[in-house]
Every structure is written in C-alpha cells, then in structure tokens.
Amino acid sequence: MKIIICDSYKELSQKAADLVIDRMIRKPDLVLGLATGSSPEGLYANLVEAYREGRIDFGQASSYNLDEYVGIAHDHPQSYHRFMEDHLFSQVNLSRERIHFPDEEADFAHYDRAIEEAGGIDFQILGIGPNGHIAFNEPQDRLYLDTHVAQLTPSTIQANSRFFDSEDQVPRTAVTMGMGSIMKAKEILILANGPKKVEAVAPLLRGDRVYTGSPVSLCLLHPNCTLIVDREAAGDLAK
Ligand code: GLP
C-alpha cells in the first residue's frame, strides 16, 4: 500500500483530486466507484472545479456508488443519492444512465454482475468508518463478498447520527457492496482525516496483518491501493 501523509485536509483533497484527474485523463471512459461521507467532500469539490475549468470531462465516465441506507427516500437530505447529487452529479456532465446505486437493483447480485459487465471498477474511492468499516462492511467474524443488506453496528449508528436530528432517525440497515465487490477494483484510494480516524487507520499504517475486525485492513492485500491521510488521523504512527 502506498501511503501519503498530508498536513491538512485541503492538501489531502488536492492530492486525491490529482490522482482521479490523472486517471480520468488517461481513460475518459473510467468506471468510478464512489463513496459518500465527509472524507471525499473536498475531493468532489476539486473535481467539480477541474470540470468547470475544462480539465476533465465526465461525458464517457460511469459511476457505481458503494452503498445506500434502507428506508429513507432518495431525496432525503441524508440519503447517499442526495449526497452525490449535491456534491457531484448535479455539477458535472456524468450521464444519468451511467450513474448506479446498489439499492436500485431488485436483485442485489445483479449489481455485482452489472459492474463486471461494465469491465469492473477502474478506480474505487473509499472513506473509513471510525470502527474500520468500508462502505457498510462492519467489523465481524465473517465478511460478505457480494452486494448485500447489512445491519449497522451501534457504533456506526452513533457515528452517523451527527448527520441526522437524532440517533433514532439513523437507518439500521443499508445496501452495500461487499468486500469482494470492493477488492475487485483495479485501483483503490482510501481517504481518512481527523482525530476520530486514528484507530481505523492504524492497521494500515502498521501494515503487518489483516483481520475481519478491521475490514479496511483487507485493502493491505490489494496490489494497487493508496492511502491518503492527514497527520491527525495518522496520529503517533505518522513518520
Ligand atoms: C459511512 C459510509 C462509509 C463512509 C463512512 C465514513 O458509514 N457508509 O462509506 O466511508 O461513513 O464517513 P466519513 O467520511 O463521514 O467519516
């Protein structure tokens, strides 16, 4: 795993955008795997700016989002559809027919097949939950490979409640890509910032073991994965 430690969230977001922009220029029909959450917000803002400046074009690109809550409407302020709409889709020329979310399939297995038929994800963007989850693959003994419905853990419900009026309103389940869906991506970029991510990032910085109690640690096995982290999230392990 390639590790880049940044001094600020601004620098992290710029470095992340530089990578995505480079891949989009090299392959205009890039298949993007997209994450929601606060971590990639700066990256998306930079991509919108690059699009406005004519440095990138989404005309031939396509996207597959990682996850979506079950039980809230797509226009709910906290739905991941709405997040993507606000932060990226409404501001760039990514064609509607080429935007995909896992909960739109009646049969979730079809989502993984659709990704395969599209040639696989070229570039997967990931955030990390404070407990080491990626998408909604929560720490547990057995991790699912394919897209599935996941139960959120109490710690994730609590972590994500900051976006809702109260903890009661956080959905308890979500449709999520599985670990296999994610690990099949040709390239992965993981973003983590802030002091709440110290424990989640530590297994990646130590880099000496993988375990299902830290789903993100499995990314250590991926042949083309970059972690961009700020000094706060890297904590004492920052060199
Ligand atoms: C959610 C999402 C994850 C995301 C994580 C971290 O639980 N399902 O995909 O990576 O939160 O979010 P944030 O970037 O806001 O810390």
Side-chain angles (χ1 to χ4, degrees):
M1 179 172 293
K2 185 173 173 205
I3 296 170
I4 301 171
I5 299 179
C6 298
D7 288 324
S8 65
Y9 179 66
K10 191 170 178 222
E11 186 191 344
L12 171 153
S13 302
Q14 196 51 59
K15 290 217 154 74
D18 289 347
L19 261 185
V20 179
I21 290 167
D22 174 76
R23 303 310 186 261
M24 287 188 73
I25 291 172
R26 283 172 201 248
K27 189 172 187 286
D29 61 348
L30 199 73
V31 180
L32 282 158
L34 298 178
T36 53
S38 52
S39 311
E41 276 182 20
L43 158 62
Y44 292 147
N46 290 337
L47 292 181
V48 168
E49 195 184 313
Y51 167 72
R52 287 194 184 135
E53 291 168 356
R55 292 160 57 211
I56 46 172
D57 179 20
F58 288 81
Q60 294 178 56
S62 50
S63 71
Y64 289 83
N65 261 83
L66 282 171
D67 47 11
E68 177 58 286
Y69 289 117
V70 170
I72 57 173
H74 289 168
D75 61 357
H76 184 286
Q78 298 311 330
S79 94
Y80 290 165
H81 280 74
R82 176 77 179 270
F83 174 98
M84 291 309 308
E85 200 54 41
D86 292 349
H87 290 90
L88 189 69
F89 297 156
S90 64
Q91 301 183 64
V92 299
N93 66 332
L94 185 55
S95 140
R96 295 280 145 187
E97 308 86 76
R98 288 206 277 265
I99 291 173
H100 307 88
F101 280 85
D103 65 321
E104 284 165 354
E105 302 288 347
D107 166 12
F108 300 136
H110 186 257
Y111 197 58
D112 295 300
R113 279 202 300 277
I115 292 172
E116 249 171 66
E117 282 159 19
I121 288 172
D122 292 308
F123 195 94
Q124 177 66 58
I125 297 161
L126 289 181
I128 320 179
N131 65 356
H133 75 228
I134 50 176
F136 275 118
N137 295 277
E138 298 277 33
Q140 56 193 322
D141 289 350
R142 294 159 199 226
L143 298 175
Y144 284 89
L145 293 181
D146 297 337
T147 300
H148 62 285
V149 176
Q151 300 289 327
L152 276 58
T153 59
S155 74
T156 294
I157 292 167
Q158 205 233 326
N160 290 6
S161 67
R162 69 191 196 277
F163 300 116
F164 291 81
D165 291 338
S166 72
E167 214 171 293
D168 297 349
Q169 292 181 13
V170 184
R172 270 36 185 176
T173 51
V175 183
T176 180
M177 275 171 36
M179 293 302 298
S181 326
I182 295 169
M183 295 294 283
K184 278 182 204 154
K186 291 166 198 143
E187 181 169 9
I188 296 178
L189 170 64
I190 306 173
L191 302 176
N193 65 288
K196 290 189 180 146
K197 299 293 169 70
V198 169
E199 275 178 42
V201 165
L204 302 178
L205 296 180
R206 290 202 191 93
D208 60 350
R209 70 195 90 159
V210 301
Y211 50 106
T212 62
S214 163
V216 72
S217 72
L218 271 80
C219 292
L220 287 163
L221 298 170
H222 195 278
N224 190 10
C225 180
T226 303
L227 166 70
I228 307 185
V229 68
D230 72 355
R231 282 194 191 280
E232 282 189 319
D236 295 342
L237 294 169
K239 286 193 196 94

